[in-house]
Amino acid sequence: MPETIETLAKRLDRLEQVLETVTLQLSYLVDELVPNAPEHCKTKTTIPTSTTRADKAEGARIMNELLERMGIADVEPIPVEELRTSMASRIRAEDNEFSRAIIAEREK
């Protein structure tokens, strides 16, 4: 399917938006991880370091609304440790083609 100027322009716009987001995220990392970075590398924006109880409540409300839209309402989240244990008991490396290849290479 040949690309038209319009589709190329839309793709370029999306690419520019993503690039802008990534650039902003990287600048946050520079500000946080390199405290003595040169001034031209800093974003001059404040990065929230802690959230208040109201922020957490608002985040929980938004997350619950999102889960409802996705059809995952009334599901109680489980702790990460329990999730890892559950996944480890169900996922076997032997079932994955790439894992089998890695295992075969290790055994050589």
Side-chain angles (χ1 to χ4, degrees):
M1 176 176 155
E3 295 287 334
T4 64
I5 298 295
E6 291 82 18
T7 58
L8 288 174
K10 288 178 185 177
R11 290 176 64 188
L12 183 59
D13 287 341
R14 281 195 312 247
L15 181 62
E16 287 174 345
Q17 289 173 351
V18 169
L19 184 60
E20 182 179 329
T21 302
V22 169
T23 301
L24 182 62
Q25 291 171 343
L26 287 174
S27 66
Y28 286 157
L29 282 174
V30 167
D31 287 350
E32 189 67 26
L33 299 175
V34 187
N36 298 325
E39 284 302 312
H40 68 277
C41 293
K42 296 190 177 186
T43 61
K44 309 276 190 285
T45 59
T46 58
I47 301 171
T49 55
S50 65
T51 55
T52 64
R53 176 168 273 170
D55 292 339
K56 289 181 181 179
E58 177 68 11
R61 184 191 66 74
I62 291 170
M63 208 46 212
N64 288 334
E65 183 180 310
L66 179 65
L67 289 173
E68 284 179 28
R69 287 187 197 171
M70 294 170 50
I72 311 175
D74 302 325
V75 175
E76 194 66 32
I78 61 174
V80 173
E81 295 81 18
E82 189 177 328
L83 175 65
R84 287 182 181 149
T85 304
S86 173
M87 289 175 66
S89 66
R90 295 182 187 160
I91 298 173
R92 296 179 335 133
E94 299 82 25
D95 295 338
N96 184 314
E97 179 182 352
F98 296 108
S99 295
R100 285 194 305 264
I102 292 170
I103 292 169
E105 288 297 317
R106 283 185 192 158
E107 293 175 353
K108 285 186 177 179

